[in-house]
Amino acid sequence: MTKIHIFDTTLRDGEQSPGVNLNQLEKLEIAKQLERLGIDRMEAGFPASSKGDFKAVKAIADTIKDTSVTGLARVVKSDIDAAWEALKGAADPAIHVFMATSPIHMTYKLKMTPEQVIDTSVEMVKYARKRFPQVQWSAEDASRSDLNFLVQIIEKVIDAGATVINLPDTVGYATPQEYGQMFKFIQDNVPNLDGVRLSCHCHNDLGMAVANSIAAVENGATQVEGTVNGIGERAGNVALEEVSVALKIRSDFYPYETGLKLKEIKRTSDLVAKLTGMHVQANKAVIGRNAFAHESGIHQDGVLKNAETYEIITPEMVGVQSNTLFLGKHSGRHAFKDRIEELGYQLSDEKLQEAFEMFKQLTDRKREVTDDDLFMILMDIQTDSSAVSKYELEMFQVQYGTNNIPTATVSLTTPNGETVEAASTGQGSVEAVYAALELLVQEDVCLQDYQLQSVGGGKDALAEAYVQLTVNGETVNGRGSAQDVIEASATAYLNAVNRYVVQKQSEKIANTVK
Ligand SMILES: [Zn+2]
């Protein structure tokens, strides 16, 4: 079995999805979960792009020990310097520099000749190698580049010190045959590939990202880049859970293995979906809500007699549990702590106490607390950036029924610390609350999307709301969970507004520092 390295770019390419903006604590939580999943290398961000990204990459590099951490950089010295400053504390630091190699990108975007592209890449790979033990060079838009030009430039950047060569299908245009052939051509024609890893990076514009990645592997790639849940630019990147499970389930056919702990897939997927606000479609391969549901009577009957009749992947393999009962009202602090540790979390005494109080509050309203509920509590605790001033919901009250106009009264504390109150009406109860919030929030807010779902099963399941807003013209996602749908909705709205507010505050701080 050939080992395939898994390179995760959820925090860089994935974070480029419209509306996604993760704060530092959220990025750190995802990074820790990626480490538990057994990812070989994670791309934590693009350190030169903003102060916030720099700090997040640094925090991840300083925390993660079992996974190599990398950052993206353009082929300019200042980007490489910023990446080194952010990554030098990592246990296994790496850099990812890229430069476009297709005629259309070189002519129109870079306005450079092929020779200039070679010279710049070589010079900057050499510069990066002075600091980083691992340098990945990417030929942006490789799948639309001239193959002979690729051979030429790859040979030179390897001589300059590149240890990984990545050939992305940047625009999701390649077919599996073409993409595989490109890897074969490079393998057959680049003379100095010994000890160098070839990497694929596929986008899903034509729905061929998994097929393309596997075609690359069959033709010599030993690194697959992708994201959790396949999030990313446009139609997204290849979904790493799909590639890794496909290789596992069809190991009779594919002689490759990844080092991923497949049992961590569901939890990783849930975490990324919650923090990015990007839902997983119910029929998504491997981790969709319906991936293990058998609806037709004939199928159900078959599965009961022998699961393998209609089930090629077991839910257990990817960590989907059948809502195991966990703790209740009478569970003590000790049992609670044990369970949290089993879930892979280490909390400080103070955070543990906070989590335990939230758990106790939940048991007042909910008879049985499941792992999903616990996970939600942990996530809220670990990603709460309470140090910054933002909007807080003080109280709300809604009156509605079949025969009257829904009316909401909402009171908030603003980032300046004042308490403000307003009342408004709407076609429905959520709309009434949102109309009142709009009066109170000082920014110009417009609701773009709203979704509601339940977490776990049963009538006492938690409600989880997702919103997408434009705040002063910028798109932001928000989420909120509560026992009550209106409270979850109000929390999600303020969560999105606060993301905007917190980001603006940190930009302001960054500018005054400069
Ligand atoms: Zn990409």
Side-chain angles (χ1 to χ4, degrees), residues 13 201 203 237:
D13 220 338
H201 176 115
H203 280 269
N237 289 63

Side-chain angles (χ1 to χ4, degrees), residues 333 347-358 381:
R333 214 183 125 94
L347 298 187
S348 64
D349 287 349
E350 193 189 326
K351 293 256 182 191
L352 182 72
Q353 186 54 32
E354 208 182 316
F356 186 64
E357 277 159 25
M358 284 171 81
I381 295 265

Side-chain angles (χ1 to χ4, degrees), residues 151-160 162 165 186-187 189-196:
V151 167
Q152 211 188 333
I153 191 167
I154 289 170
E155 186 181 346
K156 294 199 167 124
V157 293
I158 291 174
D159 279 342
I165 299 293
I186 297 305
Q187 283 265 30
N189 292 284
V190 175
N192 53 350
L193 277 178
D194 257 7
V196 171

Side-chain angles (χ1 to χ4, degrees), residues 132-195:
F132 287 91
Q134 293 285 332
V135 175
Q136 167 166 325
W137 177 82
S138 279
E140 190 188 3
D141 206 17
S143 53
R144 294 193 299 173
S145 302
D146 177 73
L147 286 175
N148 290 308
F149 177 61
L150 280 180
V151 167
Q152 211 188 333
I153 191 167
I154 289 170
E155 186 181 346
K156 294 199 167 124
V157 293
I158 291 174
D159 279 342
T163 54
V164 182
I165 299 293
N166 181 41
L167 302 173
D169 183 27
T170 306
V171 292
Y173 180 76
T175 69
Q177 286 78 4
E178 282 170 342
Y179 196 59
Q181 273 160 22
M182 175 175 72
F183 280 84
K184 182 158 176 18
F185 192 85
I186 297 305
Q187 283 265 30
D188 291 346
N189 292 284
V190 175
N192 53 350
L193 277 178
D194 257 7

Side-chain angles (χ1 to χ4, degrees), residues 36-53:
R36 283 181 213 120
L37 176 64
I39 293 291
D40 295 287
R41 180 166 290 164
M42 64 175 85
E43 188 160 52
F46 184 173
S49 69
S50 72
K51 205 92 184 163
D53 227 24

